[in-house]
Amino acid sequence: MSILPVPRVAIIVVAAGSGTRLGADVPKAFVGIGAHTVLRHALQRVFAASPAQVVVVAPPGREGDAATDALEAAGERRDLVAVVTGGSTRQASVVAGLAAVWADVEVVLVHDAARALTPAAVFDRVVAAVDASGEGVVPVLPVVDTVKRVEGQRVTEAVDRSQLAAAQTPQGFPRAMLDAAYATAVDEHTDDAALVAAGGHPVRVVAGDALAFKITTPADLERARALVVPAAPRVGVGTDVHAYGGEGDLWLAGLEWPGEPALSGHSDGDAVAHAIVDALLSAAGLGDIGTRFGTDQPEYAGAHADVFLTRTRELLGAAGWAVGNVSVQVQANRPRFTARRGEAEATLSAALGGASVSVSATTTDGLGPTGRGEGVAAFAVALLLPD
Ligand code: CTP
Ligand code: MG
């Protein structure tokens, strides 16, 4: 027995086409985008919308494959799934889907499986517009190209694009309107809105979504794959060196070290924090501390680690990255890190939103600027993960 209430909305997902223009060796709905089929991607987004009965219209002989995709995408909503066999035209496939819509359903959406990346919000937007208007609803995008009417090779007319819109799916209708329009349809139409309008019913528009593009050609499939395949993790490296000679107490690794000689620099000279910032920015391909936090920006004069790290994390977030972990090594004769290592790690980690930060320290056997006690050097490696 279902624990879900019977929904008042049904979504018919037409997936019975062969995909002639795509030219793959399986029907278009079963072509892969990353780890899943076109159909599975479409259904994942359908099931992320508000609960609805979902009728999948499959190519003849592919009902079992369609059911597997549907049940995996449905999760706890598996009781809402039906699979039926499609027809030889899109219109015939919609008719087959309509026949499987439950009696209590009041609003029906028809969606192309080939618009595999259509966000869930579009479904909810279309249902809301059908409810508010009682009319048919088509999601559309404005036409951006200048449009010409042509006959053969000759341009016969410029068409005013402000009066044009590109129709997408899901298209939604009061159930009685769609049933009536299909019952009386005589001609073949390329979408449901055209068929419903030909039946004399009003159809209005809501905003579509660029991600609702239809996978028709191999180039469309390439575009879909580029959008779905997750970005790989990325690493970055950063170093920084500051000389002693600043004013006041030392600031290093986000901590104040009373009695220790201060480092010089436009900010507090915290070489550890600056090396981490450079590693993070480099991993994201966002430049470096000099380009992002220039000495011409007064708000960074005297700023401490938390200011730089928090701002860096914001920049990364806006670019779609989360900090995986950071490892940083300090080269200095002093201060001695052993006693405050945990405190430094916790402070730096907090400024990075809780990401793991490991701090290690070493001396350089009296060699080089750090060995001679002229300053502090730090070396950081950062791992970023797609957010
Ligand atoms: N469709 C369908 N039944 C058909 C034809 C099409 O269910 N007999 C579905 C397709 O599976 C697709 C949607 O209608 O999800 C839009 O059609 P289209 O992009 O034209 O897909 P195909 O017809 O498969 O492709 P082509 O026209 O290139 O053969
Ligand atoms: Mg077709």
Side-chain angles (χ1 to χ4, degrees), residues 122-160:
V122 181
F123 295 85
D124 291 336
R125 185 147 78 227
V126 170
V127 171
V130 173
D131 283 339
S133 67
E135 299 183 353
V137 172
V138 191
V140 297
L141 287 183
V143 173
V144 290
D145 292 319
T146 293
V147 181
K148 308 288 186 206
R149 194 179 303 283
V150 293
E151 269 177 40
Q153 300 297 308
R154 169 141 292 130
V155 174
T156 55
E157 194 188 347
V159 183
D160 179 5

Side-chain angles (χ1 to χ4, degrees), residues 4 46 62 108 123 129 138 183 185 242 254 258 308 334 351 358 378 387:
L4 298 159
V46 166
R62 289 292 194 147
V108 177
F123 295 85
V138 191
H242 279 282
F308 288 94
R334 47 189 308 178
S358 339
D387 197 5

Side-chain angles (χ1 to χ4, degrees), residues 251-257 268 270-277 280 304-310 312-313 323 325-330 337 340-360 378-380:
W251 281 84
L252 195 61
L255 303 179
E256 187 174 14
W257 303 76
D268 61 359
D270 187 337
V272 171
H274 300 173
I276 293 174
V277 168
L280 291 166
H304 297 307
D306 57 335
V307 173
F308 288 94
L309 294 174
T310 303
T312 301
R313 193 162 68 92
V323 182
N325 76 297
V326 172
S327 172
V328 61
Q329 186 182 48
V330 193
F337 259 86
R340 299 189 73 188
R341 178 206 305 273
E343 201 186 336
E345 290 178 345
T347 302
L348 296 168
S349 167
L352 287 176
S356 161
V357 179
S358 339
V359 178
S360 59
F379 305 85

Side-chain angles (χ1 to χ4, degrees), residues 218-352:
D220 298 325
L221 182 63
E222 239 175 76
R223 180 175 163 206
R225 285 179 170 158
L227 287 165
V228 162
V229 175
R234 289 178 53 123
V235 293
V237 63
T239 72
D240 195 30
V241 181
H242 279 282
Y244 293 115
E247 314 232 310
D249 286 324
L250 172 70
W251 281 84
L252 195 61
L255 303 179
E256 187 174 14
W257 303 76
E260 293 285 342
L263 294 164
S264 67
H266 173 66
S267 61
D268 61 359
D270 187 337
V272 171
H274 300 173
I276 293 174
V277 168
D278 258 352
L280 291 166
L281 292 174
S282 159
L286 288 175
D288 58 25
I289 195 166
T291 56
R292 294 280 164 180
F293 303 88
T295 47
D296 55 337
Q297 288 167 275
E299 64 269 36
Y300 299 121
H304 297 307
D306 57 335
V307 173
F308 288 94
L309 294 174
T310 303
R311 178 71 190 129
T312 301
R313 193 162 68 92
E314 286 168 5
L315 291 168
L316 296 172
W321 295 105
V323 182
N325 76 297
V326 172
S327 172
V328 61
Q329 186 182 48
V330 193
Q331 288 186 1
N333 292 345
R334 47 189 308 178
R336 293 273 169 213
F337 259 86
T338 324
R340 299 189 73 188
R341 178 206 305 273
E343 201 186 336
E345 290 178 345
T347 302
L348 296 168
S349 167
L352 287 176

Side-chain angles (χ1 to χ4, degrees), residues 25 32 96 112 224:
D25 48 11
D112 293 335

Side-chain angles (χ1 to χ4, degrees), residues 66-209:
T68 303
D69 271 336
L71 294 176
E72 277 171 11
E76 288 176 355
R77 296 192 193 171
R78 56 193 303 137
D79 290 348
L80 298 178
V81 173
V83 176
V84 300
T85 309
S88 59
T89 62
R90 184 184 184 282
Q91 199 159 315
S93 294
V94 176
V95 169
L98 266 178
V101 172
W102 288 332
D104 291 340
V105 164
E106 295 161 12
V107 172
V108 177
L109 271 52
V110 183
H111 182 50
D112 293 335
R115 298 182 189 273
L117 305 186
T118 306
V122 181
F123 295 85
D124 291 336
R125 185 147 78 227
V126 170
V127 171
V130 173
D131 283 339
S133 67
E135 299 183 353
V137 172
V138 191
V140 297
L141 287 183
V143 173
V144 290
D145 292 319
T146 293
V147 181
K148 308 288 186 206
R149 194 179 303 283
V150 293
E151 269 177 40
Q153 300 297 308
R154 169 141 292 130
V155 174
T156 55
E157 194 188 347
V159 183
D160 179 5
R161 72 173 169 221
S162 69
Q163 295 183 344
L164 299 177
Q168 302 182 322
T169 73
Q171 300 182 356
F173 309 89
R175 196 249 183 93
M177 181 188 291
L178 191 62
D179 277 344
Y182 267 92
T184 56
V186 274
D187 299 325
E188 279 289 320
H189 299 274
T190 54
D191 72 356
D192 309 284
L195 184 144
V196 164
H201 305 280
V203 178
R204 59 175 49 234
V205 300
V206 291
D209 193 298

